[in-house]
Amino acid sequence: MKRYLFVLFVASGILYACNCVVSRDMIKCDYYVGQKFDKSHQKECLNYAKSISKDAMFAKSSWYFLLGGDIKNAKINAKKALKIGHNYAAEYLGMAYILENDIKNAKKEFSFFKHKVKQSGYIKKDLNILKHIYSNFNDKEVLKILHIQ
């Protein structure tokens, strides 16, 4: 048991000492932008999105590009994610289309999302975040498209 605790202690020290900027960017983005709706920290979202996109984490990077205010890269990464079977990225692509007021393509993506992704309980949380970040985000349209009340 002592050996196990020692290894955990050393590993946590190494991770702390490595100055893991990427992890800090994600935490700052999630807290300041995702919870406090503080857009002055969107650069951390973009830094994190760019970093994980390099590791082919396209769906997740799409969400962080949305949080960072970069709709173009959010769409690019969501499309890449969909090509490799990460169907939940259709939510992010649909939201990007809503932000561009492209209702036709938004409906297409949300329809795909609804039929392919069985669990969508988190979508209201995502909608709430985006409506606080983007003044033009039409969350009511998304709820209408998805038939969620």
Side-chain angles (χ1 to χ4, degrees), residues 78-133:
K79 289 175 183 179
K80 288 178 181 179
L82 288 167
K83 283 182 183 177
I84 59 174
H86 296 169
N87 296 332
Y88 61 96
E91 174 196 346
Y92 310 139
L93 186 54
M95 290 183 182
Y97 283 131
I98 288 289
L99 285 164
E100 295 177 334
N101 204 29
D102 184 347
I103 304 303
K104 179 183 172 188
N105 280 318
K107 284 181 179 179
K108 178 183 157 201
E109 294 306 324
F110 285 125
S111 175
F112 177 82
F113 174 77
K114 195 164 110 175
H115 294 305
K116 294 289 185 176
V117 180
K118 301 299 178 214
Q119 193 266 54
S120 61
Y122 53 86
I123 198 162
K124 283 188 176 181
K125 178 180 164 258
D126 294 348
L127 291 172
N128 185 52
I129 292 168
L130 293 182
K131 82 176 183 182
H132 281 90
I133 296 172

Side-chain angles (χ1 to χ4, degrees), residues 11-90:
S12 65
I14 290 169
L15 288 174
Y16 181 76
C18 82
N19 195 11
C20 298
V21 175
V22 174
S23 295
R24 266 190 276 161
D25 284 341
M26 181 196 73
I27 292 167
K28 284 182 178 181
C29 176
D30 286 341
Y31 179 74
Y32 289 109
V33 180
Q35 291 181 22
K36 300 294 182 186
F37 316 120
D38 179 355
K39 294 194 291 186
S40 69
H41 287 273
Q42 284 183 307
K43 70 180 183 326
E44 283 93 351
C45 301
L46 294 175
N47 291 340
Y48 182 64
K50 290 172 189 171
S51 178
I52 63 175
S53 179
K54 292 175 188 171
D55 293 332
M57 296 176 66
F58 301 121
K60 190 173 184 178
S61 66
S62 177
W63 172 247
Y64 282 92
F65 276 120
L66 280 173
L67 291 179
D70 187 344
I71 298 168
K72 178 184 173 190
N73 276 312
K75 285 173 52 180
I76 290 168
N77 281 272
K79 289 175 183 179
K80 288 178 181 179
L82 288 167
K83 283 182 183 177
I84 59 174
H86 296 169
N87 296 332
Y88 61 96

